[in-house]
RNA sequence: GGGCCGGCAGCUCAGUCUGGACAGAGCGCGGGCCUUCGGAGCCCGUGGUCCCGGGUUCAAAUCCCGGCCGGCCCA
C-alpha cells in the first residue's frame, strides 16, 4: 500500500543545510560548554575533490573552547549523528579542521528532482512577501529624448526585481514616474512652439525626433543665456496653469503635454521590445497641489522657514545634511524634490514597501527626501532605494543634452544584426522562413542586451564597449543555447518517462547539475533580499555552464543502459523547468531553436 | 574642501555584508575535441604585489584607521 505522499520541500538545499546545522549544533552543545547557539556556516563550493559541502565551524570555535581546531572537528563528528542523516554519505575532518561532507547523491538527487517536478513553474518561489503590497518604481526617464543604455540599466534592474518579487509573493505594482514638468521639458516645449509645433515624421520614432529637437534647444540656450529666462517663464506658467491660477497658459500647457506624450510613446515602444512592463504611469504634475499643501504644513509645524524673499527652505542639519533644502522658490513655484515628497507620501499610503531604482546621482536628493518624510512622520524606512552607477561611453558619460548616447533601440538592433550573422555562419534554422529567423534573432538580441546589463552589480560603473557587451560567448545567448540544447534532446527522445531512479545520477557532471538546480530557490531569495539582479544573472550563467558540461560529457539518448537513459532524460527535463523559471525572471526568452 | 561608490589576471567581472583550505569565471593567448544528443559548445594549459601603508586576528581580498587613483553628488 502506498503511503500518503508528503509534498516535497520548496527549497531542498535549505533542508540539507538545516539538517547539517542542527546535527552539528547539537553535537557542539553536548560536547562543549558554549553559551550561545553557534553559527554554523556552510560552504556549498568547497575546493576539495569528492566533497560537496563543508563547514569551518571548528576553526572559529578554537578560541572559545581552547582546543585545537582539528580536535574540535573530530569531537563534533564523534558526538554528532551526521552519519545517520540520510542526505549525508560521509563526513570527515580535513586540513586545519574543516568538516567536509560528501552527500548521499542518490538521496539528494531524488529529493531535488521531486521538488522540481512537484512545483514545476513554481519551483524556486518562496513566500517572502506574504502577499504584502509593494510599489516598485523604475525607469522614470525624462521624456525629452529616447531611452539610452543608462535608462536601460534602470529599467532592467527594476524589471528583474519586479519579476522576482511577484514570484516570491509580493503584491507588486510597477510604476513609471513621468517627470513632465522639469526644466528639460520646458526647454523642449519652448523649442517645439518655436519650430511651429512640428509633426513627428512618419519614419521616425517620436522620442528620437524630440530628442534631436531637445539637443538643438539645449545648444541654442547655451549660446544665448537670455533664453534661460524664457524657459523659466514657461515653467512658471505651466505650474500656475496646473494650479488654476493662469488659465491663459493653455498653449504652453499643450506644448508640454504633447512633447511628453510623444516621448513617452517612444519609451513604451522600446520597453515593450525589451519586455519591460509597467502597471501604471504616474505624472509629476499630478502632485503640484499636494506639494503646495506639504510646504504649508512644514511651515506650520515650524520645521520649514519662509525667508523674506518668499522662498521656503528647510534646514536638515539634524539629519547630517549640510545643504539646506529649498521647497519653494522666491517666485512661489515648487521644486522637483517638493513634488517627489508628495509622490512618496502617496506611495507610502498605498503600499507596505516602496522601492525606487535611481541613478547614483540621486543620492543626496534621496537623503533629503527621507529626512523630510521623517519630519512628516511618514516612515522613511519603508522606502528602499536601489542606486546604480552610470554607464560611460569611451567618449565620456552619456548626455541627452549633448545628444551623446547609445539608445536602447540601437543596442538591440546591433545585437539582432550580430545574431543573424551568427545564425547564417552556423547554418542554423535554414529550413525556416525569413520572418521566423528574424524573430529568433530578435529574441536572441533581447536576451543578449538584458543579460549584458543585468550581470554587473548595480554599484559598479560600466564602461560600455560594443564587442564586450555583445559577446555571445559569455552572455544571454550562452544561456539560451543551453536551454535549446536540452529541448533538442527531449524532442528527439520523444517519450514520456514516468518512473526513474535518481541513483543513476551520481556521476560528477550529472550531480553538479542537480546540485546547481537545488540552489535556485536560495538564489532568487538572495536576489530579492539584496536587491541584486546580478546575483540571478550569475546563477543563470553557472547553471547553463553546468548543463553545457553535462551535455558534452554525459550521453543521454545514447546512454549505455535503459534505466540510466531514463534517469538522464528526467534530469534534462528538470533542467528545462528550472532554466525556464530562471529565464522568465531575467526576462531572457527561452527558445526551442536558435 | 565634504559625502557616497568603485579599484582583484593584459581586458571584463564574481567573491567583501556574514574573516577560514591553493583568490574564482569569461575574453585573450597556446594546445586538443565534429563516425554519438546542435561546435553560439566542451576539455587541458597560460596568466594575479586582490591600489598602497599600517592595525585587529590563530587566520584578512573580506573587518578598522590613514593615503592614492577614477566616477557621481554637494560646495
Amino acid at each position: 500500500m502506498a503511503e500518503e505522499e508528503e509534498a516535497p520541500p520548496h527549497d531542498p538545499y535549505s533542508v540539507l543545510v538545516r539538517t547539517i546545522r542542527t546535527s552539528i549544533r547539537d553535537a557542539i552543545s553536548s560536547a562543549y560548554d558554549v553559551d550561545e547557539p553557534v553559527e554554523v556556516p556552510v560552504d556549498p563550493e568547497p575546493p576539495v575533490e569528492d566533497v560537496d559541502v563543508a563547514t569551518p565551524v571548528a576553526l572559529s570555535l578554537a578560541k572559545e573552547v581552547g582546543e585545537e581546531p582539528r580536535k574540535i572537528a573530530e569531537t563534533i563528528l564523534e558526538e554528532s549523528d551526521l552519519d545517520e542523516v540520510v542526505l549525508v554519505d560521509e563526513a570527515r575532518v580535513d586540513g586545519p579542521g574543516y568538516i567536509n561532507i560528501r552527500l548521499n547523491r542518490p538521496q539528494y538527487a531524488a529529493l531535488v528532482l521531486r521538488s522540481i517536478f512537484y512545483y514545476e513553474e513554481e519551483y524556486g518561489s518562496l513566500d517572502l512577501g506574504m502577499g504584502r503590497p509593494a510599489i516598485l518604481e523604475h525607469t522614470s526617464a525624462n521624456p525629452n529624448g529616447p531611452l539610452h543604455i543608462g535608462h536601460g540599466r534602470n529599467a532592467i534592474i527594476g524589471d528583474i526585481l519586479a519579476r522576482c518579487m511577484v514570484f516570491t509573493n509580493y503584491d507588486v505594482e510597477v510604476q513609471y514616474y513621468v517627470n513632465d514638468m522639469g526644466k528639460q521639458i520646458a526647454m523642449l516645449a519652448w523649442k517645439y512652439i518655436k519650430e511651429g509645433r512640428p509633426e513627428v515624421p512618419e519614419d521616425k520614432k517620436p522620442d528620437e525626433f524630440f530628442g534631436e529637437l531637445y539637443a538643438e534647444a539645449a545648444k541654442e540656450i547655451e549660446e544665448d543665456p537670455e533664453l534661460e529666462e524664457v524657459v523659466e517663464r514657461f515653467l512658471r506658467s505651466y505650474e500656475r496653469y496646473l494650479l488654476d491660477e493662469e488659465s491663459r497658459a493653455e498653449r504652453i500647457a499643450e506644448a508640454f503635454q504633447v512633447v511628453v506624450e510623444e516621448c513617452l510613446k517612444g519609451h513604451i515602444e522600446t520597453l515593450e521590445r525589451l519586455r519591460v512592463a509597467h502597471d501604471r504611469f504616474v505624472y509629476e504634475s499630478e502632485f503640484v497641489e499636494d506639494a503646495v499643501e506639504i510646504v504649508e504644513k512644514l511651515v506650520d509645524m515650524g520645521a520649514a522657514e519662509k525667508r523674506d524673499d518668499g522662498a521656503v527652505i528647510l534646514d536638515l542639519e539634524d539629519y547630517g545634511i549640510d545643504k539646506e533644502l529649498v521647497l519653494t522658490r522666491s517666485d512661489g513655484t515648487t521644486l522637483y524634490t517638493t513634488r517627489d515628497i508628495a509622490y512618496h507620501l502617496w506611495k507610502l499610503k498605498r503600499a507596505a514597501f516602496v522601492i525606487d531604482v535611481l541613478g547614483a546621482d540621486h543620492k543626496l536628493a534621496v537623503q533629503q527626501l527621507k529626512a523630510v518624510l521623517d519630519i512628516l512622520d511618514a516612515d522613511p524606512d519603508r522606502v528602499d532605494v536601489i542606486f546604480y552607477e552610470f554607464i560611460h561611453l569611451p567618449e565620456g558619460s552619456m548626455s541627452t543634452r549633448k545628444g551623446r548616447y547609445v539608445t536602447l533601440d540601437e543596442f538591440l538592433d546591433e545585437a539582432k544584426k550580430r545574431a543573424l550573422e551568427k545564425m547564417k555562419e552556423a547554418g542554423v534554422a535554414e529550413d525556416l522562413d525569413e520572418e521566423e529567423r528574424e524573430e529568433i534573432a530578435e529574441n536572441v538580441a533581447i536576451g543578449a542586451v538584458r543579460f549584458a546589463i543585468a550581470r554587473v552589480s548595480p554599484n559598479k560603473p560600466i564602461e560600455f564597449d560594443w564587442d564586450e557587451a555583445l559577446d555571445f560567448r559569455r552572455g544571454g545567448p550562452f544561456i539560451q543555447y543551453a536551454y535549446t540544447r536540452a529541448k533538442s534532446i527531449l524532442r528527439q527522445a520523444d517519450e514520456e518517462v514516468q518512473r526513474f531512479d535518481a541513483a543513476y545520477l551520481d556521476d560528477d557532471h550529472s550531480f553538479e547539475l542537480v546540485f546547481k538546480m537545488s540552489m535556485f530557490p536560495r538564489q532568487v531569495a538572495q536576489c530579492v533580499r539584496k536587491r541584486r539582479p546580478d546575483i540571478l544573472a550569475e546563477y543563470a550563467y553557472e547553471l547553463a555552464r553546468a548543463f553545457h558540461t553535462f551535455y558534452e560529457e554525459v550521453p543521454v539518448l545514447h546512454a549505455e543502459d535503459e534505466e540510466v537513459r531514463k534517469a538522464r532524460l528526467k534530469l534534462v527535463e528538470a533542467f528545462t523547468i528550472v532554466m525556464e523559471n530562471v529565464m522568465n525572471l531575467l526576462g531572457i526568452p527561452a527558445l526551442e531553436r536558435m
Side-chain angles (χ1 to χ4, degrees):
Chain A
M1 198 181 89
E3 283 178 44
E4 185 76 20
E5 208 177 321
E6 219 179 300
H10 284 87
D11 185 359
Y13 178 72
S14 287
V15 169
L16 171 71
V17 168
R18 263 200 307 275
T19 321
I20 292 171
R21 278 205 179 120
T22 308
S23 174
I24 289 178
R25 217 176 258 153
D26 290 350
I28 292 170
S29 54
S30 72
Y32 298 101
D33 185 25
V34 286
D35 8 296
E36 282 171 40
V38 190
E39 275 285 319
V40 182
V42 173
D43 178 3
E45 283 172 340
V48 183
E49 194 98 0
D50 86 328
V51 169
D52 298 306
V53 295
T55 173
V57 68
L59 297 171
S60 48
L61 273 176
K63 181 155 221 178
E64 190 175 351
V65 170
E67 269 179 40
E68 298 241 334
R70 261 201 88 93
K71 189 155 173 256
I72 299 172
E74 271 153 20
T75 308
I76 290 173
L77 279 193
E78 272 164 40
E79 285 289 321
S80 82
D81 57 358
L82 266 181
D83 48 347
E84 288 157 38
V85 172
V86 268
L87 292 174
V88 172
D89 182 39
E90 191 212 339
R92 62 163 196 264
V93 179
D94 280 328
Y98 290 94
I99 297 177
N100 279 341
I101 295 169
R102 199 174 61 224
L103 298 181
N104 181 325
R105 293 183 167 186
Q107 287 288 342
Y108 193 59
L111 176 73
V112 173
L113 292 189
R114 227 186 305 135
S115 291
I116 294 169
F117 288 119
Y118 186 85
Y119 296 106
E120 294 193 319
E121 73 275 8
E122 292 291 316
Y123 175 69
S125 158
L126 304 177
D127 186 7
L128 304 177
M130 296 176 291
R132 286 170 297 181
I135 291 175
L136 173 53
E137 179 214 327
H138 69 76
T139 312
S140 305
N142 278 329
N144 63 337
L147 295 175
H148 57 57
I149 50 183
H151 302 123
R153 193 170 193 185
N154 189 320
I156 287 162
I157 289 171
D159 186 60
I160 293 174
L161 207 63
R163 288 165 185 256
C164 288
M165 288 179 73
V166 169
F167 192 58
T168 51
N169 198 24
Y170 286 86
D171 180 12
V172 184
E173 180 174 274
V174 182
Q175 296 189 353
Y176 188 123
Y177 187 52
V178 185
N179 307 129
D180 61 342
M181 51 182 303
K183 191 177 162 194
Q184 295 96 322
I185 309 306
M187 285 160 70
L188 184 52
W190 164 79
K191 178 73 175 169
Y192 173 67
I193 288 177
K194 188 188 173 212
E195 294 296 314
R197 300 161 194 265
E199 293 273 331
V200 179
E202 285 285 328
D203 58 342
K204 209 157 222 179
K205 273 186 83 217
D207 49 343
E208 203 184 322
F209 175 73
F210 281 107
E212 285 162 16
L213 211 56
Y214 173 76
E216 285 171 29
K219 205 169 159 215
E220 281 179 49
I221 291 165
E222 199 176 337
E223 283 164 7
D224 181 2
E226 283 185 19
L227 290 172
E228 289 267 0
E229 279 177 42
V230 180
V231 171
E232 297 284 345
R233 200 160 59 234
F234 261 61
L235 207 52
R236 278 199 300 276
S237 297
Y238 188 42
E239 182 166 348
R240 295 210 178 106
Y241 171 82
L242 290 168
L243 287 164
D244 286 326
E245 285 171 9
E246 191 178 339
S247 52
R248 291 169 301 145
E250 259 168 50
R251 269 170 59 90
I252 291 175
E254 197 222 336
F256 269 80
Q257 283 153 12
V258 168
V259 301
V260 165
E261 282 313 309
E262 290 296 322
C263 285
L264 196 55
K265 230 189 275 174
H267 290 183
I268 292 169
E269 201 182 302
T270 302
L271 291 171
E272 273 177 0
R273 190 177 172 199
L274 245 193
R275 303 197 172 185
V276 173
H278 290 85
D279 299 312
R280 185 165 184 166
F281 291 78
V282 183
Y283 290 78
E284 184 181 349
S285 55
E286 294 170 31
F287 294 99
V288 171
E289 284 182 48
D290 288 359
V292 171
E293 279 172 31
I294 287 165
V295 173
E296 280 167 14
K297 187 175 172 189
L298 284 165
V299 171
D300 288 347
M301 286 168 70
E305 181 197 349
K306 189 160 191 167
R307 282 198 313 222
D308 295 341
D309 64 359
V312 179
I313 54 157
L314 188 57
D315 185 303
L316 296 173
E317 246 177 47
D318 293 351
Y319 292 86
I321 302 168
D322 296 334
K323 176 140 171 68
E324 58 187 18
L325 179 62
V326 180
L327 294 169
T328 310
R329 296 191 190 87
S330 51
D331 64 10
T333 56
T334 53
L335 285 95
Y336 175 82
T337 314
T338 325
R339 295 184 286 271
D340 206 30
I341 295 163
Y343 175 39
H344 279 84
L345 286 173
W346 178 81
K347 287 197 277 194
L348 280 166
K349 251 184 254 165
R350 280 160 185 77
F353 306 96
V354 171
I355 299 174
D356 302 340
V357 183
L358 294 171
D361 53 337
H362 288 76
K363 282 184 181 180
L364 176 64
V366 169
Q367 257 190 299
Q368 293 170 327
L369 166 72
K370 287 197 172 194
V372 179
L373 290 176
D374 189 59
I375 291 171
L376 291 168
D377 216 5
D379 209 354
D381 293 341
R382 278 161 54 217
V383 178
D384 195 5
V385 181
I386 304 163
F387 293 107
Y388 62 92
E389 292 289 333
F390 282 21
I391 300 182
H392 298 275
L393 298 178
E395 57 267 37
S397 50
M398 274 183 286
S399 158
T400 309
R401 191 166 49 80
K402 293 181 184 157
R404 186 172 65 202
Y405 42 75
V406 173
T407 69
L408 274 173
D409 294 308
E410 289 173 80
F411 194 10
L412 281 161
D413 288 341
E414 178 65 23
K416 184 174 179 179
K417 200 183 106 203
R418 295 189 187 199
L420 278 169
E421 278 166 14
K422 184 75 204 174
M423 284 168 76
K424 200 168 173 190
E425 177 193 317
V428 116
E430 276 169 340
D431 54 313
L432 302 180
D433 62 40
E434 189 66 23
E435 202 177 314
E436 289 167 310
R437 292 165 56 82
E438 285 271 332
E439 194 191 323
I440 289 170
E442 173 76 6
N443 281 318
V444 170
I446 292 165
V449 166
R450 290 190 62 119
F451 188 84
I453 293 178
R455 60 173 262 257
V456 183
S457 131
N459 56 7
K460 195 152 236 164
I462 295 179
E463 294 294 333
F464 186 79
D465 176 272
W466 283 102
D467 290 330
E468 196 227 307
L470 292 176
D471 182 356
F472 288 179
R473 279 166 297 192
R474 201 245 128 122
F478 178 85
I479 291 159
Q480 291 172 313
Y481 187 46
Y483 178 82
T484 302
R485 281 178 136 184
K487 278 293 187 185
S488 169
I489 290 179
L490 296 177
R491 223 180 302 128
Q492 286 165 73
D494 196 29
E495 66 181 86
E496 197 57 39
V497 176
Q498 294 300 337
R499 302 199 66 84
F500 70 100
D501 188 348
Y504 292 110
L505 304 176
D506 66 343
D507 67 277
D508 288 348
H509 300 301
S510 304
F511 190 72
E512 171 65 17
L513 184 55
V514 167
F515 195 79
K516 273 274 151 35
M517 294 193 300
S518 78
M519 299 291 281
F520 178 49
R522 185 185 137 94
Q523 299 291 338
V524 177
Q526 294 266 306
C527 170
V528 171
R529 290 205 182 103
K530 295 185 182 173
R531 270 104 230 225
R532 292 260 314 268
D534 61 300
I535 291 176
L536 202 60
E538 179 73 16
Y539 173 72
Y541 175 75
E542 282 174 19
L543 182 61
R545 190 149 51 103
F547 182 79
H548 280 306
T549 301
F550 164 82
Y551 180 93
E552 298 282 350
E553 303 290 331
V554 185
V556 177
L557 297 175
H558 308 285
E560 61 274 19
D561 174 286
E562 187 54 28
E563 288 306 310
V564 176
R565 176 186 148 102
K566 281 186 186 171
R568 288 182 184 163
L569 271 173
K570 286 309 262 190
L571 176 61
V572 173
E573 194 186 330
F575 167 75
T576 61
I577 292 172
V578 180
M579 199 43 147
E580 229 172 288
N581 293 356
V582 180
M583 291 169 93
N584 271 332
L585 294 179
L586 290 172
I588 296 174
L591 304 171
E592 289 273 338
R593 305 186 56 173
M594 63 182 280

